[in-house]
């Protein structure tokens, strides 16, 4: 009996201790309790302002964003100038052929027994001046045309060969003008024939360089 009474006392003490511990951890009984909601909870994800954008932009906006206005303007200006360069280039070739033919006819008259009446000299000089002016215009259009997409490395392409031939033609044009003035100034002297012959050779060389420069653009 003594043992049984001792067990009852121990159990009573344990239950009292447990009740006190629960009263400390649980809120007061008089605190209002929220009634459980019967409606299903819809958990909406929080909106992240950093992800609020369209993955696919409209075609017009995307195209406008990819175009650099300054680059587009430079390309349009280059295209216009090179079209004029090309058109005047054909006019240059035609004028140079006419000038060379007139020069050859005048050379035959003056130094190959044609009478030396110099009837074609004025016409030849007029075509030479006009051709030189067109040549200068063609060269300036080619040099001043903007090149916003410059090549980083040197390449042997048609444009490179065109520039080489036209550089030779430029040197020939300058030499031809000087030799023509000197030959006219030495009229009736022994050196006139030599200067006129040099003028003729340089003229055909210049015509060949211009022709080669034009034809390189087609290959």
């Amino acid at each position: 009996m003594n043992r049984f009474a001792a067990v009852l006392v121990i159990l009573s003490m344990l239950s009292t201790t447990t009740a006190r511990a629960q009263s400390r951890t649980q809120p007061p009984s008089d605190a209002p309790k929220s009634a459980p909601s019967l409606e299903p909870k819809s958990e909406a994800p929080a909106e992240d302002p950093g992800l609020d954008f369209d993955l696919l932009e409209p075609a017009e906006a995307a195209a406008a964003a990819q175009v650099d206005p300054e680059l587009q303007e430079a390309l349009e200006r280059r295209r216009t100038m090179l079209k004029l360069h090309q058109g005047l280039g054909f006019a240059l070739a035609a004028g140079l052929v006419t000038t060379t033919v007139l020069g050859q006819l005048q050379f035959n008259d003056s130094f190959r027994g044609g009478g030396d009446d110099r009837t074609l000299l004025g016409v030849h000089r007029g075509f030479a001046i006009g051709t030189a002016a067109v040549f200068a215009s063609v060269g300036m259009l080619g040099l001043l045309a903007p090149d916003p997409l410059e090549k980083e490395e040197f390449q042997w392409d048609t444009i490179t060969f065109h520039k080489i031939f036209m550089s030779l033609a430029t040197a020939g044009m300058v030499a031809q003008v000087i030799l023509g003035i000197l030959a006219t100034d030495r009229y009736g002297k022994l050196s006139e024939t030599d200067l006129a012959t040099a003028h003729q050779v340089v003229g055909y060389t210049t015509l060949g360089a211009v022709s080669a420069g034009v034809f390189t653009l087609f290959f």
Side-chain angles (χ1 to χ4, degrees):
M1 292 296 294
N2 294 333
R3 293 180 178 178
F4 182 76
V7 170
L8 290 178
V9 172
I10 293 173
L11 291 175
S12 176
M13 293 175 63
L14 289 175
S15 60
T16 303
T17 304
T18 304
R20 291 179 180 178
Q22 291 179 353
S23 64
R24 293 177 181 177
T25 57
Q26 292 180 354
S29 59
D30 57 350
K33 297 182 180 180
S34 59
S37 176
L38 299 179
E39 296 180 359
K41 297 181 180 180
S42 60
E43 297 181 355
E47 295 183 358
D48 187 357
L51 299 178
D52 188 14
F53 62 89
D54 293 331
L55 295 178
L56 298 178
E57 298 179 355
E60 295 81 4
Q66 295 177 357
V67 174
D68 186 355
E70 294 183 358
L71 177 61
Q72 187 69 20
E73 182 181 357
L75 291 175
E76 290 294 335
R77 186 164 64 252
R78 174 178 175 81
R79 185 178 295 109
T80 301
M81 295 180 69
L82 290 184
K83 284 183 178 180
L84 292 174
H85 175 82
Q86 183 181 22
L88 290 177
F90 290 115
L92 169 64
L96 194 57
V97 169
T98 304
T99 304
T100 303
V101 171
L102 292 173
Q104 182 62 54
L105 294 175
Q106 180 59 52
F107 184 87
N108 295 338
D109 290 342
S110 298
F111 306 105
R112 293 184 179 178
D116 197 16
D117 53 5
R118 294 183 178 262
T119 55
L120 297 176
L121 184 60
V123 181
H124 172 69
R125 184 183 292 114
F127 270 93
I129 295 174
T131 303
V134 175
F135 186 90
S137 300
V138 172
M140 293 300 294
L141 287 172
L143 291 175
L144 297 180
D147 191 5
L149 304 176
E150 295 182 358
K151 300 178 182 178
E152 297 180 357
E153 298 180 358
F154 176 81
Q155 296 180 357
W156 288 100
D157 52 10
T158 56
I159 301 300
T160 301
F161 284 105
H162 175 75
K163 292 180 179 179
I164 292 175
F165 286 123
M166 296 312 295
S167 298
L168 294 175
T170 302
M173 183 68 69
V174 173
Q176 188 174 313
V177 171
I178 295 174
L179 290 172
I181 294 174
L182 292 177
T184 304
D185 186 64
R186 298 298 178 87
Y187 175 70
K189 299 180 181 179
L190 294 177
S191 59
E192 180 188 7
T193 304
D194 297 333
L195 291 172
T197 302
H199 175 76
Q200 179 189 34
V201 172
V202 173
Y204 280 110
T205 303
T206 304
L207 177 61
V210 171
S211 300
V214 172
F215 284 119
T216 53
L217 298 179
F218 295 95
F219 299 98

